[in-house]
Amino acid sequence: MAETKDVAELTADEARSELKRLATLIARADQAYHSEDAPQITDAEYDRLKRRNAAIEVRFADLKRSDSPSDRVGARPSEGFAKVAHAMRMMSLGNAFEASEVEDFVASVRKYLGLDATADLAFTAEPKIDGLSLSLRYEDGLLVQAATRGDGTLGENVTANAQTIGDIPTRIEGAPAVLEVRGEVYMSHPDFAALNARQAEQKAKTFANPRNAAAGSLRQLDPAITRARPLRFFAYAWGDLSAPLADTQMGAIERLQALGFTINPLTRLCRDAPEMLAHYHDIEARRAQLGYDIDGVVYKVDDLALQRRLGFRSTTPRWAIAHKFPAELAWTRLEAIEIQVGRTGALSPVARLAPVTVGGVVVSNATLHNEDYIAGRDAKGGEIRGGKDIRIGDWVQVYRAGDVIPKLADVDLSRRPPDAVAYRFPDRCPQCDSTALREEGDAIRRCTGGVICPAQAVEKLKHFVSRAAFDIDGLGTRQIEQLYRDGWISEPADIFQLRARFGAGVQQLKNREGWGEKSAAKLFQAIDARRRIALGRLIFALGIRHVGEVASNMLARHYGDWPSFQKAVTEAGDRSGEAWETLIGIDGIGSVMATSLVTAFAQSAERASIDRLVAHLEVETAAAPDTANSPVAGKTVVFTGTLERMTRAEAKARAEALGAKVSGSVSARTDILVAGPGAGSKAKKAAELGIQTLDEDGWLALIEDA
Ligand code: IVH
């Protein structure tokens, strides 16, 4: 039956009838809820139906019904927003802070493209709006979906709310059949001030800054509230498209304007770095008069064919960069230094500050990095802040750059209290009293307590349930701390035994502070939903030092399934031999990360804990969607000689994006040699080994349609 099938497995016919069934069920539930005051299904079941409906609509966009439940507003107060998958990932931007970094960016683009200094290379420059990004999907000119950025892959469906924003047309004419418009939702300064005044008058929550106000207003479960909030929208990019908008960035933005979107009036075309920097200074000079918050200038390569060639790194485009304005600064007193213990045992000092406003936000904590930093030294023993150390009681200068944790810029020695003493960094863990060691060459001191350290255990659990890992709704920081403290969970595997351990358990959990019957049931459901998990998420969730989200996904793509992955990592434990060579040969996996990974799997306590966890899971095999049609997926390719239609970096990046492994030398394991003019010994060796050899055109023809 279609309704029991995974959305990913539905055929078009099944999807069509399933959408019909869901539309009927949801409409009936709405009716029962409103007019009959007798809900027939639970809120959780209702949400599940809505989510399933949205997921099918994302996969089969063309089957979406005109009476789609996703588009009906205010049917029932939802318990949260449905998640929607972005047809194209929403990326973030790399940052530059100095003019020299902008010049380096321009130079790196030229280098990647193989353009000499005389070739034309134009960039657009426009304000970076300090709001929240939104992706609007239009099909046949109708706004069918609005989604927040979320984690870039999955966002929240805020369609009903977006429809209330004046700058967002619900119908456009003359657009491609599929058009995703991306841009920023923001609130102007006067609107922000008026909203806060109104909120204060009604004794409701006020917002710290316009960005928070915009985010809080867009993410309202009741669209009527969003409608009453003065939100605006600037369009500056696009996602999925059925036909190109133009040949250039500027052309595309102008096309969006012609279609009825508001674009930023300070968008300019610049021919070189000096023009980009001049426009940056011009925007900076007007910043205070704009009437809305901006935090920098975004530069984008204008020629869209070049943008395509440049492509993306893991989360940022190579063809754009954000040039941030200098951070705002404020002076305040350092009241205490607190040591936090992270999931890998790192002791991180945090400054507790007398609260101070920096750039519209009240700051009371700042990072102090590590013990050298507090002492006024850098990693190499050189001086920072002219060698001034930081002491409790000092007046310190705080700054914020973007959303990151505030940092300290300086210390005012003239205001240092006479009794202030140099800070002594602890050599024992403040949580478990184990020795805290600092290894040679490491700036960080670490607790050696491992599994006995409660701080490490709790941080590991928090990481495990976090968004990019298992993403378990209802298990936040507070709940993890509570369940750990009460002895219900001490390692990830325990989470999956919660329901069983509680026995008739909802009762017990319910009696605990903060848990209602509904929230406990919801929690168990959220946990059950994650018994099936993607391999990349699982690897990332293990919280192994140095193994981040991007690397975890690469490992997953390489090994495909859990048994192969764990076998390979176990076999690589001796740090030599084929399994080890394969591991460090994976693009993006260095020897530091590989060592950390194999060490974790070689530790018996850690390994046993991982095995206990996996016993509760069904680990999905990692699909490699990008390389499904790739003729070179899994092949080892070597480039040699001069390439004329692309640079080496570009050739390598494209081959890797298609699932090939690029190697520097020819061996029996090489599958394809791409040889340009001037190829020498490598071409000879390849011929001897009988390896397929292509010229550049042959290679491009091979990968053309992939
Ligand atoms: S372009 C692929 N242009 O900045 C690049 N982003 O730090 C797409 N932002 O997530 C983004 N103003 O929310 C672009 N004029 C602008 C922007 C802008 C603000 C935000 C956007 C993005 C973030 C990246």
Side-chain angles (χ1 to χ4, degrees):
M1 288 300 287
E3 66 258 40
T4 57
K5 262 198 178 172
D6 218 280
V7 172
E9 286 160 9
L10 292 176
T11 64
D13 277 341
E14 288 169 337
R16 192 176 293 110
S17 61
E18 182 68 337
L19 286 174
K20 181 165 177 218
R21 186 182 75 94
L22 290 166
T24 316
L25 274 179
I26 293 168
R28 206 182 291 151
D30 286 341
Q31 168 112 34
Y33 185 84
H34 282 290
S35 5
E36 300 158 25
D37 201 20
Q40 292 170 334
I41 56 175
T42 63
D43 287 355
E45 172 67 4
Y46 180 83
D47 280 347
R48 195 186 65 78
L49 295 178
K50 292 237 348 183
R51 273 200 299 274
R52 182 167 171 83
N53 183 71
I56 298 174
E57 287 175 349
V58 169
R59 239 200 100 202
F60 297 95
D62 50 343
L63 296 184
K64 186 165 166 177
R65 299 168 60 89
S66 56
D67 64 348
S68 163
S70 316
D71 297 343
R72 259 201 323 276
V73 178
R76 171 194 282 224
S78 153
E79 302 214 310
F81 294 101
K83 296 252 167 77
V84 280
H86 292 296
M88 276 174 68
R89 210 179 132 88
M90 287 182 82
M91 295 288 183
S92 49
L93 291 170
N95 287 328
F97 295 93
E98 309 288 335
S100 65
E101 294 171 82
V102 175
E103 288 155 0
D104 291 348
F105 163 69
V106 173
S108 74
V109 169
R110 281 189 178 278
K111 182 153 178 248
Y112 190 93
L113 296 170
L115 298 179
D116 66 29
T118 58
D120 285 345
L121 178 65
F123 290 83
T124 59
E126 71 204 54
K128 182 169 189 300
I129 315 299
D130 196 6
L132 63 151
S133 49
L134 189 66
S135 185
L136 306 169
R137 188 176 175 93
Y138 291 84
E139 287 175 13
D140 298 323
L142 279 184
L143 175 64
V144 295
Q145 179 178 291
T148 61
R149 178 173 186 280
D151 64 3
T153 307
L154 279 185
E156 285 177 329
N157 188 340
V158 292
T159 313
N161 293 349
Q163 284 167 337
T164 70
I165 299 176
D167 285 341
I168 296 180
T170 48
R171 180 187 288 275
I172 52 180
E173 271 178 37
V178 174
L179 166 62
E180 273 181 18
V181 177
R182 293 182 173 174
E184 204 85 350
V185 174
Y186 67 100
M187 196 179 280
S188 75
H189 291 158
D191 287 341
F192 167 69
L195 170 64
N196 259 358
R198 233 169 36 233
Q199 293 284 105
E201 212 169 89
Q202 295 164 3
K203 305 236 170 340
K205 178 179 158 218
T206 57
F207 297 95
N209 53 46
R211 201 180 88 90
N212 290 358
S217 302
L218 184 68
R219 299 183 69 260
Q220 282 290 335
L221 291 173
D222 180 357
I225 299 183
T226 308
R227 186 183 295 280
R229 301 273 173 88
L231 294 174
R232 296 160 193 251
F233 180 79
F234 277 128
Y236 53 64
W238 55 92
D240 203 8
L241 283 179
S242 57
L245 291 170
D247 294 336
T248 59
Q249 175 76 28
M250 202 61 171
I253 295 301
E254 282 166 355
R255 177 91 193 278
L256 290 178
Q257 183 176 37
L259 288 170
F261 294 91
T262 310
I263 65 167
N264 193 285
L266 292 174
T267 310
R268 296 277 183 279
L269 193 63
C270 303
R271 278 169 308 178
D272 52 22
E275 284 191 13
M276 291 152 76
L277 294 170
H279 191 46
Y280 170 89
H281 290 299
D282 185 29
I283 292 177
E284 192 179 24
R286 300 168 187 238
R287 186 177 180 189
Q289 279 81 51
L290 289 179
Y292 50 87
D293 279 353
I294 63 173
D295 56 353
V297 172
V298 183
Y299 307 120
K300 300 171 186 169
V301 168
D302 188 46
D303 184 331
L304 298 183
L306 297 183
Q307 281 193 9
R308 266 191 297 281
R309 279 180 59 193
L310 285 156
F312 296 86
R313 291 180 216 92
S314 58
T315 59
T316 57
R318 286 195 192 84
W319 44 263
I321 198 165
H323 186 182
K324 304 295 270 300
F325 293 132
E328 297 186 55
L329 295 158
W331 286 95
T332 188
R333 218 176 79 91
L334 173 62
E335 296 187 325
I337 295 179
E338 201 179 290
I339 303 290
Q340 292 181 345
V341 184
R343 102 185 117 82
T344 58
L347 265 46
S348 309
V350 177
R352 299 282 175 226
L353 306 166
V356 62
T357 306
V358 189
V361 173
V362 178
V363 167
S364 48
N365 302 315
T367 175
L368 289 168
H369 304 287
N370 55 54
E371 55 194 281
D372 286 345
Y373 181 85
I374 298 175
R377 286 189 305 265
D378 65 18
K380 298 195 187 81
E383 288 187 347
I384 50 174
R385 299 183 300 271
K388 289 184 271 186
D389 69 336
I390 294 172
R391 301 184 179 185
I392 296 167
D394 270 340
W395 280 85
V396 290
Q397 195 179 35
V398 197
Y399 69 98
R400 275 177 71 233
D403 275 342
V404 297
I405 315 172
K407 300 182 182 190
L408 299 190
D410 204 2
V411 185
D412 185 350
L413 290 185
S414 71
R415 295 167 89 181
R416 173 168 281 176
D419 55 350
V421 290
Y423 180 72
R424 263 200 61 209
F425 203 89
D427 53 11
R428 305 197 78 85
C429 172
Q431 296 282 335
C432 71
D433 206 37
S434 302
T435 316
L437 283 184
R438 197 175 153 183
E439 280 175 22
E440 180 95 20
D442 194 351
I444 306 286
R445 194 173 281 278
R446 289 175 203 278
C447 160
T448 54
V451 285
I452 71 145
C453 177
Q456 288 189 46
V458 169
E459 291 308 314
K460 257 187 179 300
L461 286 163
K462 286 185 198 163
H463 170 79
F464 184 84
V465 300
S466 65
R467 188 149 84 169
F470 270 63
D471 189 21
I472 301 181
D473 274 351
L475 266 192
T477 300
R478 196 173 57 81
Q479 291 83 356
I480 288 284
E481 282 169 358
Q482 184 188 33
L483 290 165
Y484 181 86
R485 202 175 46 236
D486 295 346
W488 288 108
I489 53 175
S490 55
E491 61 168 16
D494 298 337
I495 293 174
F496 294 95
Q497 282 174 297
L498 262 186
R499 189 200 287 271
R501 285 197 188 163
F502 279 128
V506 181
Q507 202 51 38
Q508 283 187 54
L509 191 58
K510 189 180 110 181
N511 293 338
R512 307 214 62 81
E513 188 196 338
W515 294 94
E517 181 145 5
K518 212 161 135 188
S519 58
K522 265 185 81 167
L523 172 62
F524 294 145
Q525 227 172 42
I527 292 172
D528 285 343
R530 293 293 183 271
R531 287 181 195 268
R532 193 181 152 98
I533 193 85
L535 179 57
R537 279 184 182 265
L538 170 61
I539 298 173
F540 176 63
L542 298 178
I544 296 166
R545 199 171 146 207
H546 302 301
V547 185
E549 196 185 345
V550 173
S552 301
N553 286 323
M554 289 185 184
L555 288 164
R557 273 199 295 274
H558 183 88
Y559 292 107
D561 55 47
W562 174 259
S564 315
F565 169 72
Q566 60 98 20
K567 180 163 176 278
V569 175
T570 311
E571 281 174 10
D574 54 4
R575 301 225 273 141
S576 62
E578 185 154 343
W580 172 255
E581 292 301 324
T582 308
L583 179 60
I584 57 173
I586 300 172
D587 186 40
I589 312 292
S591 65
V592 171
M593 194 193 297
T595 302
S596 174
L597 192 60
V598 299
T599 311
F601 274 71
Q603 275 164 2
S604 55
E606 178 114 22
R607 181 57 192 262
S609 165
I610 294 174
D611 290 345
R612 281 192 293 274
L613 165 67
V614 174
H616 293 284
L617 304 175
E618 184 190 337
V619 185
E620 291 167 10
T621 33
D626 293 341
T627 60
N629 297 321
S630 165
V632 297
K635 302 237 163 123
T636 299
V637 182
V638 176
F639 292 96
T640 187
T642 315
L643 300 179
E644 287 165 334
R645 290 172 57 188
M646 55 193 168
T647 60
R648 266 301 161 81
E650 185 180 359
K652 181 165 189 283
R654 270 191 78 184
E656 283 171 352
L658 292 169
K661 176 174 179 299
V662 177
S663 163
S665 59
V666 173
S667 77
R669 273 191 268 159
T670 308
D671 295 298
I672 302 174
L673 179 78
V674 182
S681 61
K682 287 182 193 169
K684 199 163 148 252
K685 187 161 177 199
E688 281 163 18
L689 292 167
I691 289 164
Q692 181 186 13
T693 301
L694 298 171
D695 62 9
E696 191 177 2
D697 288 340
W699 165 256
L700 289 172
L702 175 66
I703 62 173
E704 194 173 43
D705 298 323

